[in-house]
């Protein structure tokens, strides 16, 4: 289906790039996607970032910035 097919993600001929998966019709990188971390639909909480397909909390005194990094609070 267009929701999960990496060769036709979201429509005919919309191929995902190498390393991306098709989740709900959108190509994403499960290694870094905050809302689909490691698997489609597995979201990190608001105090964590997604790295290598796993959610990691920001260190004490730091907060999530753009869902991809931790910055000083």
């Amino acid at each position: 289906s267009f929701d999960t097919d990496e060769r036709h993600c979201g429509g005919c001929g919309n191929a995902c790039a190498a390393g991306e998966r098709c989740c709900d019709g959108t190509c994403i990188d499960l290694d870094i996607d905050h809302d689909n971390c490691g698997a489609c639909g597995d979201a990190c909480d608001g105090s964590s970032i997604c790295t290598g397909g796993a959610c990691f909390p920001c260190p004490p005194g730091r907060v999530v910035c753009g869902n991809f990094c931790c910055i000083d609070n």
Side-chain angles (χ1 to χ4, degrees):
S1 87
F2 291 142
D3 286 344
T4 58
D5 189 335
E6 275 84 29
R7 294 170 296 150
H8 306 283
C9 189
C12 289
N14 292 332
C16 294
E20 290 184 332
R21 298 292 308 256
C22 184
C23 293
D24 295 326
T26 302
C27 294
I28 58 159
D29 185 339
L30 297 178
D31 284 342
I32 60 171
D33 190 280
H34 187 265
D35 296 323
N36 301 280
C37 189
C40 296
D42 285 352
C44 296
D45 66 27
S47 64
S48 299
I49 59 171
C50 181
T51 303
C55 296
F56 292 97
C58 288
R62 303 194 87 189
V63 295
V64 174
C65 178
N67 294 332
F68 297 106
C69 63
C70 298
I71 61 170
D72 290 335
N73 190 6

